[in-house]
């Protein structure tokens, strides 16, 4: 059974995706808790980067990849 998304849901999803790009592009990695729950699993294995469990693991990976790298941005 498909779940119908309401306009408010669609808007919230769009805002979250936009904030995701803003935070990573701007290097605002201290704010990742605004878009991820503490138990997040971020699977980037299809891109050869690996899987990261937890906000700190995502932040650390983005820092290791360095500035100007499209780190963890999908």
């Amino acid at each position: 059974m498909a779940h119908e998304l309401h306009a408010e849901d669609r808007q919230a999803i769009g805002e979250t995706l936009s904030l995701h790009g803003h935070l990573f592009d701007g290097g605002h990695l201290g704010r990742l808790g605004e878009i991820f729950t503490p138990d997040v699993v971020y699977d980037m294995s299809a891109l050869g980067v690996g899987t990261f469990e937890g906000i700190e693991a995502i932040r650390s990976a983005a820092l290791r990849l360095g500035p100007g790298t499209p780190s963890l941005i999908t």
Side-chain angles (χ1 to χ4, degrees):
M1 179 166 110
H3 174 72
E4 181 179 336
L5 292 177
H6 299 284
E8 297 85 12
D9 298 328
R10 292 178 187 278
Q11 182 176 359
I13 291 167
E15 288 174 4
T16 300
L17 290 172
S18 178
L19 184 56
H20 177 280
H22 171 73
L23 295 181
F24 279 101
D25 290 350
H28 306 288
L29 303 176
R31 296 178 52 196
L32 295 180
E34 295 178 32
I35 57 172
F36 297 120
T37 60
D39 61 345
V40 60
V41 176
Y42 205 93
D43 185 358
M44 298 296 290
S45 57
L47 299 175
V49 180
T51 299
F52 307 97
E53 295 184 28
I55 293 170
E56 184 56 32
I58 295 169
R59 187 187 73 75
S60 294
L63 290 172
R64 279 193 312 274
L65 290 172
T69 303
S71 55
L72 305 175
I73 302 172
T74 59

